[in-house]
Amino acid sequence: AIKRLSTQWVLAAQNIDQKLEMRKRQRKKMLVHLGFLTEEAGDVFSPIVSKGGPLGELVQWADILATLYVLGHSLKISSTLRELQSFLGVPPGRGSCPLSGPLTFDLIYTDYHGLQQMKQHMGLSFKKYKCRIRVIDTFGTEPAYNFDDYANLRGYRTNWGHWNLNPKQYMTMFPHSPDNSFMGFVAEILNDTEKEAIQSSKISNMAVVYGKDPNMWKGKAKYLEVISRYMEIHG
């Protein structure tokens, strides 16, 4: 998709340059750690991509990488634990030792797997630098689940919450909550011919159901059947 839309990416970059012509922009050092692709996380995504897996998340990650590159930032990408340790300057061994030097990245984009890996290997430095982390979080994390003490007190503790980050550090695919930041994804700009083709084949009553796996719809046959009486269903 990035190659197919390469011309639009270039035009978008040129438009941003024109809009920000009078402003000074600092070239930041960025690390993008794809924790979900690491062997330690089980790499659950790759095997199911061709079977209706989480393509939306993968598309968003591709858009983030392309955007950071087009904006001119210095970009490092890691998808293994060894690469992460090397980029961060993690000392040998595995314990609570801080990093061997100052963190060289202005911002780190990662997921929950990467967040856990950084906490595990950055030692005492994790608390010092966690303000630089941005978590790509498809559906977002509400403050009640984010703040550990409150989550434990109210029974909201989950495997993915309790990180005590600023809620704005969670970046969502859709603008679910004003508590988090909306990252979004790239939408293609259609020309007039493409717009007309879509309009001519547009169905008036259509429903889209979202589910990564058929098991998510187990026991929901009647629910879908009712919708299908009134609308054409797409998955």
Side-chain angles (χ1 to χ4, degrees), residues 144-156:
Y145 296 88
N146 171 57
F147 297 112
D148 195 37
D149 290 341
Y150 185 87
N152 285 325
L153 183 65
R154 300 289 181 175
Y156 293 145

Side-chain angles (χ1 to χ4, degrees), residues 1-39:
I2 293 175
K3 288 183 178 179
R4 183 172 60 83
L5 300 176
S6 59
T7 302
Q8 293 189 23
W9 277 104
V10 173
L11 289 174
Q14 292 172 348
N15 289 336
I16 289 176
D17 282 339
Q18 291 174 1
K19 290 179 181 179
L20 303 178
E21 188 175 0
M22 303 303 293
R23 302 182 194 175
K24 290 184 178 180
R25 284 199 304 128
Q26 182 182 0
R27 187 173 191 243
K28 295 184 179 295
K29 293 182 178 180
M30 306 285 197
L31 171 62
V32 177
H33 177 56
L34 306 170
F36 65 92
L37 291 182
T38 61
E39 184 179 347

Side-chain angles (χ1 to χ4, degrees), residues 52-220:
L55 295 178
E57 285 91 335
L58 295 176
V59 167
Q60 186 185 35
W61 275 110
D63 290 341
I64 291 169
L65 290 169
T67 300
L68 293 175
Y69 177 79
V70 168
L71 289 173
H73 295 299
S74 175
L75 190 60
K76 295 288 187 182
I77 304 169
S78 62
S79 59
T80 68
L81 197 54
R82 181 175 294 181
E83 289 173 333
L84 175 67
Q85 291 172 320
S86 175
F87 288 144
L88 293 178
V90 173
R94 186 173 171 182
S96 58
C97 297
L99 301 182
S100 54
L103 184 67
T104 59
F105 297 100
D106 297 299
L107 288 174
I108 300 174
Y109 289 88
T110 190
D111 50 51
Y112 280 112
H113 295 291
L115 196 61
Q116 182 64 48
Q117 290 165 356
M118 282 188 282
K119 181 182 179 181
Q120 194 172 10
H121 293 276
M122 288 176 69
L124 300 174
S125 296
F126 179 79
K127 186 175 181 180
K128 179 180 179 179
Y129 292 117
K130 71 177 184 179
C131 61
R132 301 190 191 182
I133 298 173
R134 301 295 180 269
V135 182
I136 306 305
D137 182 7
T138 302
F139 297 107
T141 296
E142 296 177 12
Y145 296 88
N146 171 57
F147 297 112
D148 195 37
D149 290 341
Y150 185 87
N152 285 325
L153 183 65
R154 300 289 181 175
Y156 293 145
R157 179 68 184 257
T158 67
N159 291 333
W160 306 109
H162 70 265
W163 284 101
N164 290 317
L165 301 177
N166 183 319
K168 289 293 185 182
Q169 289 177 253
Y170 299 105
M171 314 199 80
T172 63
M173 182 175 288
F174 300 99
H176 296 289
S177 166
D179 294 312
N180 303 145
S181 296
F182 172 46
M183 170 62 79
F185 50 90
V186 172
E188 183 176 357
I189 300 174
L190 303 178
N191 58 40
D192 292 337
T193 302
E194 290 169 329
K195 289 179 182 178
E196 290 176 4
I198 291 175
Q199 289 296 328
S200 63
S201 59
K202 191 174 181 180
I203 299 172
S204 56
N205 292 319
M206 180 173 64
V208 176
V209 294
Y210 180 77
K212 299 175 185 176
D213 190 274
N215 287 332
M216 294 182 176
W217 298 104
K218 191 174 182 179
K220 302 294 189 302

